[in-house]
Amino acid sequence: MQRIPPNQHVTANFPVLHFGRVPEFDRRTWDFRAEGLVENPVRLTYDEFLALGRTEDISDFHCVTGWSRLDMRWEGVLFRDIAKLVKPKNNAGFATIVCDGEYTTSLPLNELMEPDVLFAYNYEGKPLEPVHGGPLRLVVPKKYAYKSAKWVRKVVFTEEQEPGFWEQRGYSNSADPWKEERYSY
Ligand SMILES: Nc1nc2c(c(=O)[nH]1)N[C@H]1C(S)=C(S)[C@@H](COP(=O)(O)O)O[C@H]1N2
Ligand SMILES: [Mo]
């Protein structure tokens, strides 16, 4: 079994890559919302979010520009635990992840329910640094890293998929590094 997806190279660094500027984090005013096609929408403070639990997952990270970083240790709340809390309606098929700033991405619920998909607040045992998406980022190891949205504030459950920031700009919506799904053409 190959460890590195096609045409990726391993880096020992943790590059910083994003569009726009790093948002300010104020623990007193920050909130996380999960809404849309759900039975039980929630709005949580940062402390309430942390109290949802802590799951650890070690995974590899593949940026569509060609670098991969191995064995990243994240801690946070599994997407499936958020789904359990808000109870998606039968017609919910996708979720859009909405970040501070203009950034969004979206995925089918069945892919978000995988046991390695989490909203991470810790990296390597420490609070996630702002440049890497702190206080909260999504981690989707089986996809190119533009699906691993930084500075997450909201999840909206939808019936149809809403193309995200890079997906509207020519990047693949399915983004599977093993199939080298980089672009949408
Ligand atoms: N909010 C937000 N999240 C984002 C991005 C972004 O521009 N904005 N870039 C994505 C891309 S293309 C990559 S490769 C990873 C990079 O994460 P890192 O800066 O922690 O290495 O963040 C992803 N998440
Ligand atoms: Mo990327």
Side-chain angles (χ1 to χ4, degrees):
M1 172 76 189
Q2 268 285 110
R3 178 82 188 262
I4 315 300
N7 296 306
Q8 292 290 113
H9 62 269
V10 173
T11 176
N13 304 323
F14 192 174
V16 171
L17 205 78
H18 56 257
F19 178 83
R21 45 175 73 237
V22 176
E24 293 277 327
F25 169 49
D26 181 343
R27 193 172 180 138
R28 292 162 308 167
T29 56
W30 185 93
D31 62 5
F32 172 89
R33 293 168 193 266
E35 57 190 47
L37 296 175
V38 297
E39 303 291 346
N40 177 39
V42 294
R43 175 184 172 271
L44 303 168
T45 65
Y46 183 68
D47 293 310
E48 287 167 341
F49 191 92
L50 296 190
L52 293 178
R54 189 175 79 216
T55 300
E56 180 183 294
D57 188 68
I58 297 175
S59 59
D60 299 343
F61 197 81
H62 310 293
C63 172
V64 73
T65 62
W67 55 269
S68 291
R69 185 175 157 84
L70 306 182
D71 293 321
M72 305 188 57
R73 185 161 63 89
W74 305 101
E75 289 167 303
V77 178
L78 293 176
F79 183 94
R80 54 163 68 170
D81 289 338
I82 297 293
K84 218 177 279 170
L85 180 68
V86 299
K87 300 188 175 64
K89 294 184 176 170
N90 287 336
N91 57 342
F94 301 86
T96 301
I97 313 298
V98 182
C99 306
D100 262 330
E102 280 173 53
Y103 200 82
T104 61
T105 191
S106 63
L107 286 150
L109 286 189
N110 66 314
E111 295 179 346
L112 287 165
M113 298 298 237
E114 294 279 317
D116 59 357
V117 175
L118 48 76
F119 291 103
Y121 49 73
N122 282 356
Y123 174 68
E124 299 297 344
K126 290 191 221 114
L128 180 60
E129 282 182 71
V131 287
H132 288 301
L136 191 71
R137 84 177 299 166
L138 185 68
V139 177
V140 189
K142 294 190 192 78
K143 301 291 179 178
Y144 284 122
Y146 57 89
K147 297 286 185 180
S148 292
K150 309 202 271 193
W151 315 301
V152 172
R153 293 291 298 274
K154 190 163 74 169
V155 182
V156 185
F157 289 76
T158 62
E159 186 160 4
E160 305 292 342
Q161 188 163 20
E162 303 174 339
F165 181 87
W166 284 120
E167 295 89 334
Q168 288 169 37
R169 289 164 177 77
Y171 286 89
S172 166
N173 208 9
S174 43
D176 182 339
W178 299 97
K179 297 184 188 155
E180 233 188 321
E181 295 169 339
R182 295 179 198 268
Y183 308 107
S184 53
Y185 47 83

